[in-house]
Structures are given as C-alpha cells and as structure tokens.
Amino acid sequence: MVGGGQLARMTHEAGIPLGIRFKLLSDTPQDSAAQVVSDVVIGDYRDLDTLREFARGCDVITFDHEHVPIEHLRALEADGIPVRPGADALVHAQDKGVMRAKLDELGAPSPRHRIVADPADVSAFADEVGGFPVILKTVRGGYDGKGVWFVRTQEDAEAPFKAGVPVLAEEKVDFTRELAANIVRSPHGQAVAYPVVESRQVDGVCDTVIAPAPGLDAELAGQAQELALRIAKDLGVVGHLAVELFETTDGRILVNELAMRPHNSGHWTQDGAITSQFANHVRAVLDLPLGDPRPRGTWTVMANVLGGDYPDMYQAYLHCMARDPQLKIHMYGKDVKPGRKVGHVNTYGDDLDEVLERARHAAGYLRGTIVE
Ligand code: ADP
C-alpha cells in the first residue's frame, strides 16, 4: 500500500487474519501505518524510481490516498504491475473536473457545474444558475473542505484562482443532509454494497456517520447503491469506492465526490458490518471473493476523535472504557494536534438516540470538549 496514514494502518490490520503480507511505502517512520507495519519503505510517492523499487516483489499495489501522479501509475502498469484501482479509474478521484465530465457522460446526477476562467466568469456562472452564492473548488489537491470556497460576490471569487489549478464552479445545492453510498468491486466484477449512511460534517470535517441513514426512503437508498455500483463498473474501479452524495430538499440525490480507497464514511463497518470496508478492500485488490457487507445490528454510529488539548489519552481512556464497556476505540497513533483526526469510536445498538449519545460523548471526552 502506498501512503502511511490511518487508512493504511487499518487496511493492514484487516489483512492480518487473512495472512496477507503487507508492504508499505510511507513518507516518514512516524506515519500512522509505518508505526505498525513491519515491512516499511520510507520514500516519496511522487518519485517514480522510488515507486518502481517499492513495487518490486509486490503482487498488487493499492493506495491510502489519491495523490500518486497518474503518469507514475501508468508507468507502473506498463511495467506489468497490477495497480488497483488502476490509473484510468483513479484519475476521476484525483481531478474534480475530470470526475464531473465523466459523471455527466454517465448521466449521473450532479450539481450544475462548469470550469470557470476567472472571477468575471464566476459571475457569469452565477447568473446561469440563478445567482450567488456558488461553490468554487480547485480541481486537484483539496481535502476535508480545504480547496472549497463558498462565494457570495465576484470579489470573493479571487482566492481560488491563486493556486494556479483549474477552478470548478458548482451551484450551491440546497441539501437536507449528506449521504455516502459505499461499495467494493473486484477485478472480475463481483461487487457488494454497504447500507447507505448519513455523514455529518462540522467545519468541513466529517464528525459523525450513522449507519444506515435514518429515515432514508428505501427507493432512494436503492438508487444510491445502484448509482455507486454503476459508477464503479463504468470507471473500472477496483477496491472500495465511496460516493459522497447530497440528499436535496426536493428528495433527489446528487453526487458530491468520489473516493477510491477505504473512506471515513465506512469506518463504522469495522464494528457494525459482517465484513469491514478494509477487509473487503484487501479481498478486492487481491481478487478474492468479497465478504458480506450487511450490518450486524440495527444502528452503528461512528464519531471522529479530533485532537484537542490532551496529548495523553490515559485519563480519557479510563473514563470512556469504564463508562461504556461496549465502546469500540480506534486510535491512529498520531501526535495530538488541535483539530487533527487522531482516531474514531464506534457504538452500536437498537436505540439510535442512545447510540449517538454514547459515540458523541466518547469522541468529545477523548478530545477534551466534554469533561464529565
Ligand atoms: P473535500 O474534497 O474537501 O472533501 P467536498 O467537495 O466534499 O470537498 O466539499 C466539502 C464540503 O463542502 C461538502 O461536504 C459540503 O458540505 C460542501 N459542499 C461541497 N460542494 C457543495 C455544493 N455544490 N453545494 C453545497 N455544498 C457543497
């Protein structure tokens, strides 16, 4: 796996019971996955020679992030190395302009959008979609809300153009909530769909995920799953695909973006599904039969733990573990910095309010925003 973040750490964990030998290319020995994987190469994924050297002896290469340059992926493929997902699929997760164009071609529902040339063109786009505000996104390099601007005037529209990357304008969608349709697909075309989940963001960062999305119309849920399966098939995705969606106030779903790797909206599956997203990602990239994606219980809630004031979790652990013996804690071994994702918790049960409260309490306590 290329990339040493928490997704690699948890993918490695899921491969252990399958007896998979896992090799990691990581930026530094301190990275989340590099701390726990025994076969680690420290190096720069942007360097083709490093990637080639790393790939030697690997049966298959997969990714913790979407940032490996496409031309390097194509070079590895030309060397005969199975790259999963492959370059032709991953380009859609790397570049929001390419993704939108492809989704249009597939007839997948998107917010109205187009590439804009400059602030005056943003104004023209705003006129086309019924006025400001509009959303601007740099087509590459964004994550956790960085690279996304809510723009209310033409003057506001200058900042996104400073990065020197093409800028995509989107209508501001009136949505009631954000959903994610997560599926896993293997090279020979087997695919499984997880229940559609609700994802709640705070300050552009995923805060809580509820599985399944409460009150979601069964037909709309089915449409979302079918859409994700169709996108995966048409783009040739192998492994886990997260399709982030908006549920609009008028009862439609629109695609926000695609992620071709295990995803934060699928962390609940570690404790709430028969087969986790990580285990199924490993199975898919190795072209093994996929595991059952169905939930184990009625409700599962995932809450992210962000870094707060306490670098030492010991006291918080005592409290959280004693208060809720069913709580599942997943920490990433990262240094605690304010606002950084350092772990998550999963809770499950039959009463959604109670399950939500337990997850929020634990995540807040571990962060230090809840003290009793
Ligand atoms: P990132 O790549 O940083 O995850 P996203 O494209 O997912 O960026 O956007 C981050 C957040 O901005 C979304 O979760 C959503 O809340 C908001 N957002 C993005 N696009 C739109 C849109 N077209 N209309 C309304 N809100 C949007």
Side-chain angles (χ1 to χ4, degrees):
M1 196 167 216
V2 176
Q6 64 263 26
L7 301 176
R9 181 177 170 115
M10 294 184 277
T11 305
H12 164 62
E13 179 188 1
I16 293 170
L18 302 177
I20 308 294
R21 281 186 297 125
F22 192 90
K23 183 171 166 183
L24 185 74
L25 178 63
S26 184
D27 289 343
T28 77
Q30 290 78 40
D31 285 358
S32 182
Q35 297 170 22
V36 297
V37 174
S38 61
D39 191 358
V40 185
V41 174
I42 303 301
D44 184 352
Y45 62 82
R46 285 162 296 205
D47 178 62
L48 181 56
D49 291 337
T50 303
L51 284 168
R52 281 206 162 112
E53 179 64 28
F54 171 72
R56 201 180 301 158
C58 290
D59 294 315
V60 54
I61 303 256
T62 189
F63 308 93
D64 160 277
H65 58 66
E66 283 128 0
H67 308 314
V68 180
I70 283 293
E71 61 273 18
H72 292 359
L73 299 178
R74 294 203 196 282
L76 294 177
E77 287 174 339
D79 292 347
I81 295 158
V83 174
R84 293 175 178 161
D88 286 344
L90 262 174
V91 66
H92 301 95
Q94 283 195 350
D95 186 308
K96 292 179 185 187
V98 175
M99 174 197 72
R100 285 281 176 231
K102 184 71 184 179
L103 291 176
D104 288 349
E105 198 185 308
L106 299 181
S110 289
R112 283 177 292 169
H113 62 89
R114 68 172 173 82
I115 297 289
V116 281
D118 51 38
D121 198 19
V122 174
S123 266
F125 174 78
D127 290 342
E128 289 157 31
V129 298
F132 283 107
V134 298
I135 309 287
L136 298 182
K137 301 178 177 182
T138 47
V139 295
R140 287 185 296 276
Y143 66 96
D144 284 352
K146 296 176 183 68
V148 177
W149 289 263
F150 285 72
V151 169
R152 290 190 171 77
T153 62
Q154 182 171 325
E155 292 71 56
D156 274 2
E158 280 168 18
F161 293 95
K162 296 200 170 121
V165 176
V167 177
L168 177 75
E170 294 180 358
E171 67 174 308
K172 185 184 169 300
V173 176
D174 285 326
F175 60 87
T176 46
R177 57 177 169 175
E178 297 187 48
L179 305 171
N182 291 340
I183 67 103
V184 182
R185 182 172 176 276
S186 68
H188 74 267
Q190 190 194 0
V192 293
Y194 287 100
V196 176
V197 297
E198 175 176 335
S199 158
R200 297 185 183 170
Q201 328 287 320
V202 175
D203 300 331
V205 179
C206 174
D207 178 73
T208 320
V209 170
I210 306 172
L216 180 63
D217 176 69
E219 199 176 314
L220 207 56
Q223 275 176 29
Q225 289 178 313
E226 275 171 25
L227 178 64
L229 289 166
R230 188 156 64 84
I231 291 172
K233 179 165 177 277
D234 289 350
L235 272 53
V237 177
V238 168
H240 189 267
L241 168 72
V243 181
E244 296 179 19
L245 298 160
F246 299 121
E247 184 179 7
T248 63
T249 43
D250 57 358
R252 294 175 301 142
I253 46 170
L254 299 176
V255 178
N256 177 26
E257 64 168 348
L258 308 178
M260 296 177 194
R261 49 172 170 76
H263 189 253
N264 205 164
S265 64
H267 289 359
W268 69 275
T269 60
Q270 289 173 304
D271 302 299
I274 295 171
T275 316
S276 77
Q277 62 162 349
F278 300 104
N280 264 336
H281 185 76
V282 168
R283 289 177 183 225
V285 300
L286 294 171
D287 207 7
L288 294 166
L290 302 178
D292 193 333
R294 283 177 300 171
R296 290 175 194 254
T298 316
W299 299 107
T300 306
V301 169
M302 188 279 332
N304 277 325
V305 178
L306 302 186
D309 295 334
Y310 308 139
D312 181 358
M313 292 283 170
Y314 180 66
Q315 288 300 330
Y317 274 178
L318 288 181
H319 171 90
C320 291
M321 292 175 185
R323 181 181 193 264
D324 184 355
Q326 289 184 17
L327 182 72
K328 300 293 186 178
I329 302 176
H330 301 265
M331 299 301 287
Y332 308 151
K334 288 179 167 180
D335 287 341
V336 172
K337 289 189 196 143
R340 185 184 200 194
K341 283 183 197 168
V342 294
H344 66 270
V345 295
N346 286 330
T347 55
Y348 47 85
D350 293 329
D351 178 341
L352 179 56
D353 288 340
E354 186 238 16
V355 176
L356 257 174
E357 189 281 328
R358 285 166 45 218
R360 288 204 180 117
H361 179 89
Y365 203 93
L366 291 167
R367 186 179 186 179
T369 50
I370 293 175
V371 291
E372 57 188 85

